[in-house]
Amino acid sequence: MVSATAVTGTALGAVMVSLLAAPAQAGTPTGAGHARTGRAAVAAAAPDDAGLRAILRTALAQGAPGAMARIDDNGTVHRLVEGVDDRATGRTISTNDRFRVGSVTKSFSTVVLLQLVDEGRLKLDKPVDTYLPGLLPDDRITVRHVLSHRSGLYDYTNDMFARSVSGFEAVRNKVFGYRDLVRLSLQKPRTNAPGAAYSYSNTNFVVAGMLIEKLTGHTVATEYQKRIFTPLALNDTFYVHPSTTIPGRHANGYLTSDTAGAPPVDATKQTVSWAQSAGAIISTPHDLDTFFSALLRGRLMSAAQLTQMTKWTRVNSTTSYGLGLRRRDLSCGISVYGHTGTVQGYYTYAFTTKDGRRSLTALANTSNNTAVLNTMYRTLEPAFCGTSAAGSAARSAVPGAAPLEHHEDIAPSVTRD
């Protein structure tokens, strides 16, 4: 049974929890990547918990078993939850739950590669085939093209998940090699010439995983752990592929059926081998808030590489894409930086401010539900713009509202409703 109780922290009601110490601060990077935002610095208003809570409740009304949001506001933490993490037991969802983060993984993969650039082992503007000879049919495709979704490589998930449930069941327990997935992509024509246009494709970050493993001689799991998880003490973040389980307490994920009225499919157990370095990391709101804050504060790479990461390609009126990183421009004049994640059973939004002082992670444990996807997008406004934005965000988070999002992270060319 779905609970309608909102929780902040670990107690009922709206409670703000002060941490013992704020995260370490580093200088905010400058340079072309940030200058190109074209938006003046605006002070963030206080987060609006009531507005966030209304949005989470709307997600439940639209079919999500549970929804949550965690804000780390420079050491002051807001926790809000609605609903359950397990439909069978009715256990209340928690901001301590682990879950599959989907394409948020792409930001982790990019950090590893940009660290390798810092180490002189990789050049962004070299062809991928320099490092992986013969992998791609066009040696004009560079590492930068791959990380910015401008390679033109077709996204194999368009065909794999044209039907969500049957497509998922066909790969739930399957283990792919990286080259298997690249071959699926190369069976189709490319979407554009290298560098000519932005076209989101999971294939790009399969290639990113191959680059990591080729250049380091280690698995992506080893490199994530050594370079990111351990240094940032992300103790609830894992890469367990090809294991199908999420270790410890976690939110179950539910895939909405393709057939109207049919019960959702519990998609929690899966290899996520169809995604791997494009989408197989498991984490928590705390760890994602920590990761993106550290990234924007310059703790994970040189200022020069963070500038490269934040050279933007415009996607639409409010979204730009850098290298494995999204920028969202909000109504109050603030831009936030992070990534979205869609994997069977989970929608994730994880973003931080330019200075890394305020971070949001929001999750709904459902997928293939466009109404919920659009609703969770609206958590950004009350989290970063405060009360003035929260009312309009909540009012627009209703069935029939104009769509803001689509399933770009998984089967991006497949329209779902």
Side-chain angles (χ1 to χ4, degrees):
M1 181 176 178
V2 174
S3 168
T5 303
V7 180
T8 308
T10 56
L12 296 176
V15 180
M16 296 174 65
V17 181
S18 295
L19 301 183
L20 294 177
Q25 295 186 38
T28 301
T30 58
H34 286 274
R36 289 171 62 176
T37 63
R39 296 168 72 85
V42 177
D48 179 40
D49 288 356
L52 270 170
R53 187 177 298 111
I55 291 169
L56 299 182
R57 287 176 174 169
T58 298
L60 262 63
Q62 293 169 333
M68 62 167 137
R70 181 188 187 275
I71 300 171
D72 186 336
D73 190 14
N74 198 35
T76 297
V77 177
H78 303 235
R79 298 182 178 93
L80 297 105
V81 306
E82 292 286 339
V84 302
D85 65 12
D86 188 328
R87 295 178 72 243
T89 66
R91 184 174 67 176
T92 301
I93 200 167
S94 167
T95 55
N96 294 321
D97 285 343
R98 298 166 180 171
F99 55 89
R100 301 190 186 280
V101 307
S103 286
V104 179
T105 302
K106 293 177 171 66
S107 297
F108 287 82
S109 296
T110 303
V111 166
V112 174
L113 287 174
L114 290 176
Q115 288 183 0
L116 292 171
V117 174
D118 274 331
E119 294 164 14
R121 300 161 74 180
L122 177 70
K123 293 186 181 298
L124 290 173
D125 294 311
K126 285 280 191 180
V128 169
D129 281 2
T130 301
Y131 306 101
L132 297 166
L135 177 70
L136 303 180
D138 191 333
D139 62 10
R140 295 175 300 165
I141 298 174
T142 67
V143 176
R144 187 187 300 275
H145 292 150
V146 164
L147 296 182
S148 60
H149 293 296
R150 295 184 300 125
S151 68
L153 294 170
Y154 179 80
D155 193 331
Y156 57 86
T157 69
N158 291 332
D159 303 303
M160 189 176 283
F161 302 122
R163 294 284 295 174
S164 293
V165 175
S166 59
F168 167 63
E169 294 294 2
V171 302
R172 179 197 282 262
N173 296 307
K174 192 167 183 178
V175 177
F176 292 94
Y178 284 124
R179 289 182 182 271
D180 296 330
L181 298 173
V182 173
R183 278 193 290 269
L184 289 175
S185 169
L186 296 181
Q187 290 172 5
K188 295 296 183 72
R190 279 170 279 156
T191 56
N192 51 262
Y198 170 90
S199 181
Y200 193 97
S201 174
N202 286 288
T203 308
N204 290 312
F205 280 80
V206 170
V207 174
M210 296 180 73
L211 286 167
I212 290 169
E213 296 197 349
K214 178 64 179 291
L215 292 169
T216 66
H218 301 139
T219 64
V220 293
T222 297
E223 294 301 312
Y224 292 150
Q225 189 71 49
K226 179 177 72 174
R227 295 172 177 272
I228 305 173
F229 301 171
T230 296
L232 295 182
L234 305 183
N235 298 323
D236 292 306
T237 303
F238 307 92
Y239 184 85
V240 301
H241 173 268
S243 173
T244 63
T245 58
I246 301 176
R249 172 164 175 154
H250 59 271
N252 284 8
Y254 297 92
L255 175 60
T256 306
S257 175
D258 296 301
T259 304
V265 174
D266 188 329
T268 310
K269 290 186 176 182
Q270 56 170 303
T271 62
V272 202
S273 194
W274 63 267
Q276 299 187 55
S277 51
I281 282 177
I282 294 162
S283 193
T284 62
H286 168 275
D287 282 8
L288 292 184
D289 285 348
T290 299
F291 168 69
F292 280 112
S293 176
L295 173 59
L296 269 292
R297 291 183 188 215
R299 292 177 56 192
L300 289 171
M301 64 188 71
S302 68
Q305 297 318 316
L306 188 52
T307 295
Q308 295 300 317
M309 196 175 191
T310 54
K311 287 185 175 179
W312 306 108
T313 299
R314 176 64 72 177
V315 175
N316 57 40
S317 62
T318 60
T319 303
S320 299
Y321 204 92
L323 303 183
L325 190 70
R326 293 189 188 277
R327 188 189 86 208
R328 289 287 169 86
D329 302 329
L330 305 181
S331 65
C332 58
I334 290 173
S335 293
V336 292
Y337 307 83
H339 216 287
T340 52
T342 298
V343 65
Q344 291 91 354
Y346 305 91
Y347 286 141
T348 304
Y349 286 86
F351 286 85
T352 193
T353 50
K354 182 177 177 180
D355 60 7
R357 291 169 66 88
R358 182 181 300 176
S359 302
L360 163 76
T361 295
L363 170 81
N365 58 340
T366 190
S367 65
N368 194 28
N369 185 324
T370 304
V372 172
L373 180 67
N374 285 330
T375 291
M376 296 304 292
Y377 169 82
R378 294 177 174 91
T379 58
L380 298 177
E381 292 281 337
F384 295 103
C385 295
T387 305
S388 61
S392 60
R395 285 192 297 273
S396 60
V398 297
L404 298 175
E405 294 286 280
H406 63 285
H407 291 254
E408 188 174 64
D409 293 327
I410 177 173
S413 75
V414 177
T415 300
R416 305 193 195 284
D417 193 52

